[in-house]
Amino acid sequence: VTREWSNGVASECVRTAVASGKSGVPDNHWVIFDGPVDALWIESMNTVLDDNKKLCLTSGEIISLTPQMRMVFEVEDLSVASPATVSRCGMVYMEPSALGNEPLIQSWAERLPSTFKPEMCEKLKELMLDFTLPMIRIVRKQTKEPSMTVDNNICQSHFRLMDCYFSAYIPTEAKTPSPDEINKLQSHLVPLYFFTLVWSVGATCDNKGRQIFNEKLWELVKEKGVEVGGKLDSSIFWYDFIYELEGEREGQWTPWLTFAPKYTVPPRSEYQNIVVPTVDSIRL
């Protein structure tokens, strides 16, 4: 260890924000610290948080903050924070249950590709409110999860899974999706939504919970009168089917086992090296 001084992320962010403020830019600058408040480094922020508003670095450099700068600390708890730190900050306590998932849905809908039609964004928001939120409550109250999750986490998982399908429709310098491509996606939007719902919100529960999720989802589909496409009916187990967006079976719900190759155990194979394709291995 040379013990030579090198700039960290925080000092670089503060220095950049100060330089921008001194150049005459009227915009506010927010430096956000996301993570636990450690007693060792947060004490070094006391001069920043009090009326001095100066960041004193170990190198001896002192950076004075501009009036446009703000600091936000997003922490899980204050178990190691000293009274000096707490007294210098304004505290906002927010439980995840108090926030809800509606703001997440609104924020995600605003980030959808600009090539999407307004009615496509509204349809996705409607589906999220009508199905995603109720099914999260079903997962919480009626199923068991081998690995515990939180509501906003599985809601974000649903967003990310849908974004995987939407990434091809983000306009770039190389390609801009045509109106025909957008219209084609719009025709698949509802079935695609349900497929991603099952493998995000419904993916965290155990096998018994999946049976419950399957039944409750079909009940909700019938109640809302939504067409899921591909001649799928309530006798079908959601987890056994994949929705295809292209190819010979475009627009159809296809059993996962359709993709299973014919398997013959190679002669003289050792037992531990034999892997027979199953529904679970094909899904992976």
Side-chain angles (χ1 to χ4, degrees):
V1 179
T2 63
R3 297 188 180 277
E4 293 182 358
W5 166 259
S6 60
N7 284 305
V9 176
S11 58
E12 284 289 355
C13 290
V14 171
R15 189 179 288 108
T16 301
V18 168
S20 177
K22 289 183 177 180
S23 66
V25 177
D27 298 336
N28 289 328
H29 297 274
W30 299 81
V31 181
I32 301 177
F33 294 85
D34 182 12
V37 172
D38 184 85
L40 296 178
W41 70 265
I42 195 62
E43 292 301 320
S44 302
M45 303 291 287
N46 286 340
T47 56
V48 179
L49 301 176
D50 62 18
D51 293 338
N52 294 319
K53 294 185 178 180
K54 293 181 179 179
L55 177 63
C56 301
L57 303 178
T58 308
S59 61
E61 180 183 3
I62 298 177
I63 304 175
S64 297
L65 274 62
T66 63
Q68 293 82 14
M69 290 185 63
R70 303 289 186 273
M71 286 191 176
V72 177
F73 299 87
E74 294 185 355
V75 300
E76 182 179 2
D77 55 52
L78 297 173
S79 58
V80 295
S82 67
T85 300
V86 174
S87 64
R88 286 175 168 85
C89 298
M91 298 293 163
V92 179
Y93 177 70
M94 180 67 71
E95 292 185 359
S97 58
L99 179 63
N101 291 310
E102 289 84 354
L104 299 179
I105 294 174
Q106 180 65 35
S107 176
W108 175 73
E110 293 175 357
R111 299 195 309 270
L112 289 171
S114 58
T115 51
F116 278 22
K117 300 177 183 178
E119 54 266 30
M120 294 173 66
C121 299
E122 289 300 319
K123 185 62 178 178
L124 286 170
K125 286 171 59 179
E126 178 186 341
L127 291 169
M128 288 286 177
L129 294 173
D130 288 347
F131 292 95
T132 302
L133 300 187
M135 294 313 299
I136 289 177
R137 289 192 288 270
I138 294 295
V139 170
R140 285 285 163 261
K141 296 182 179 181
Q142 301 186 30
T143 70
K144 293 183 180 180
E145 294 178 303
S147 180
M148 295 299 296
T149 62
V150 292
D151 292 357
N152 55 3
N153 185 20
I154 55 177
C155 192
Q156 290 282 7
S157 297
H158 192 189
F159 299 156
R160 295 189 188 99
L161 193 53
M162 295 204 73
D163 288 340
C164 291
Y165 289 95
F166 295 160
S167 60
Y169 299 91
I170 299 175
T172 63
E173 294 182 1
K175 180 184 178 183
T176 300
S178 65
D180 290 339
E181 290 176 319
I182 299 299
N183 291 334
K184 178 182 176 181
L185 176 64
Q186 186 175 7
S187 66
H188 295 306
L189 206 58
V190 175
L192 182 61
Y193 164 82
F194 282 104
F195 175 70
T196 54
L197 173 68
V198 170
W199 290 107
S200 54
V201 177
T204 62
C205 48
D206 57 15
N207 288 336
K208 184 178 179 180
R210 290 186 175 187
Q211 293 287 347
I212 297 173
F213 187 93
N214 179 75
E215 295 171 2
K216 295 298 181 181
L217 181 55
W218 275 120
E219 291 177 7
L220 201 55
V221 167
K222 290 182 178 179
E223 178 185 334
K224 300 293 183 180
V226 177
E227 292 292 334
V228 299
K231 299 179 180 180
L232 205 65
D233 57 58
S234 57
S235 64
I236 300 300
F237 190 55
W238 285 102
Y239 294 88
D240 287 343
F241 286 78
I242 177 176
Y243 185 77
E244 299 200 53
L245 294 175
E246 54 188 18
E248 298 178 356
R249 294 183 290 268
E250 178 182 338
Q252 296 181 19
W253 291 88
T254 305
W256 286 101
L257 284 175
T258 304
F259 302 95
K262 293 183 178 179
Y263 182 78
T264 303
V265 179
R268 299 180 180 177
S269 296
E270 296 183 5
Y271 180 78
Q272 66 271 18
N273 295 329
I274 298 175
V275 180
V276 180
T278 65
V279 172
D280 293 318
S281 65
I282 295 169
R283 289 169 181 163
L284 294 174

